[in-house]
Amino acid sequence: MALATVTLSGLYACRGSVTTVRVLVADDERLMAEMIAVGLRREAMAVDVAYDGLQALEKLSVNRYDVAVLDRDMPGSTGDDVCRWVVDHGVGTRLLLLTAACGIYDRVEGLGLGADDYLTKPFAFAELVARVRALARRTAPALPPVLERDGVLLDEATRTATRDGRALGLTVKEFGVLRALLRAQGQAVSTEDLLEQVWDEHTDPFSNVIRVTVSTLRRKLGEPQIVQTVPRAGYRIGLS
């Protein structure tokens, strides 16, 4: 398959809102797959990559993804085959098909397989990001635009967080952890859930990345401590 061109203009321009979105990118053109993955990671998404349909099926069978970006023309198990598997097994992942075929029949056929969206190559990266975010919003339950607990406010639209009116200046990962804790509404969130929601599959589950991120988040939140460690359960947010 010939390498299609990705127009990367707008790579940084579409960061208007940051949510923790987990994406699978499947394309047999490694350069294309890696370019898409790097760009989506810069948009604060957790991204895994598959280089053929069989790898994509394996990852979809063990991981939970909000969106899968699938090239239709992969050898072996094609993007169409992966799409059929997702639909037949009732997997909740939203599907975006990529292809160089731009005819109306091709688009109708792809959507008829059960895909949620369709994008032809070459494409502007800003459009891909917008489409992935739109599909992710349809996957996730509706949430208020501002999450709040005990004086901590997180605004998804502006990617800002404050405590008692004081700006926190969080990194992408700190923002993702805080968002996951606020979404849990005071319930404990396990380290496994935090890894799945905020990081990608390349993160070593035995590393101390979560502990370090929680530690810096606690420091930025200040006193009194609001992020609590729950033994054998994970972390929760709340003063009580």
Side-chain angles (χ1 to χ4, degrees):
M1 183 183 68
L3 179 63
T5 302
V6 180
T7 304
L8 289 175
S9 60
L11 181 63
Y12 299 97
C14 42
R15 293 187 179 179
S17 68
V18 175
T19 58
T20 306
V21 178
R22 189 165 189 185
V23 181
L24 173 65
V25 174
D27 197 315
D28 63 306
E29 286 288 350
R30 289 178 175 259
L31 179 58
M32 170 64 70
E34 291 299 336
M35 286 174 64
I36 294 173
V38 168
L40 292 179
R41 287 174 185 140
R42 288 175 177 169
E43 298 295 328
M45 300 184 195
V47 185
D48 297 338
V49 178
Y51 300 112
D52 58 49
L54 291 177
Q55 285 186 9
L57 289 171
E58 180 181 352
K59 292 177 186 295
L60 283 162
S61 67
V62 298
N63 298 317
R64 184 179 64 196
Y65 296 100
D66 299 297
V67 181
V69 179
L70 307 172
D71 178 65
R72 287 194 71 179
D73 306 317
M74 292 182 290
S77 292
T78 65
D80 290 359
D81 296 330
V82 176
C83 184
R84 292 189 189 96
W85 183 90
V86 169
V87 173
D88 290 345
H89 288 76
V91 177
T93 301
R94 298 292 182 177
L95 302 172
L96 171 59
L97 290 181
L98 296 179
T99 182
C102 58
I104 293 177
Y105 172 78
D106 299 297
R107 294 196 296 271
V108 171
E109 182 185 44
L111 294 172
L113 293 170
D116 299 281
D117 202 355
Y118 194 98
L119 188 60
T120 58
K121 301 175 181 179
F123 53 85
F125 192 80
E127 182 179 5
L128 175 65
V129 172
R131 289 174 181 263
V132 169
R133 289 207 186 285
L135 291 177
R137 286 195 295 270
R138 289 158 58 183
T139 304
L143 289 171
V146 177
L147 303 174
E148 187 276 335
R149 190 171 186 85
D150 292 336
V152 176
L153 277 75
L154 181 145
D155 188 326
E156 301 232 31
T158 60
R159 194 185 171 273
T160 56
T162 62
R163 183 175 189 184
D164 297 328
R166 175 177 56 86
L168 299 178
L170 303 181
T171 66
V172 168
K173 296 305 183 187
E174 291 163 356
F175 188 92
V177 169
L178 181 60
R179 178 179 181 271
L181 294 175
L182 288 170
R183 286 185 63 175
Q185 299 179 333
Q187 300 300 308
V189 181
S190 69
T191 55
E192 291 81 5
D193 284 341
L194 287 175
L195 276 174
E196 181 171 305
Q197 293 181 47
V198 184
W199 283 268
D200 59 35
E201 68 177 357
H202 298 294
T203 305
D204 183 355
F206 300 104
S207 72
N208 65 349
V209 62
I210 291 180
R211 181 174 60 81
V212 171
T213 303
V214 169
S215 177
T216 59
L217 175 60
R218 281 171 167 160
R219 185 170 65 249
K220 291 181 179 181
L221 285 166
E223 298 293 339
Q225 287 293 322
I226 193 170
V227 175
Q228 313 293 337
T229 299
V230 182
R232 297 182 297 279
Y235 301 95
R236 62 176 294 273
I237 190 165
L239 292 174
S240 59

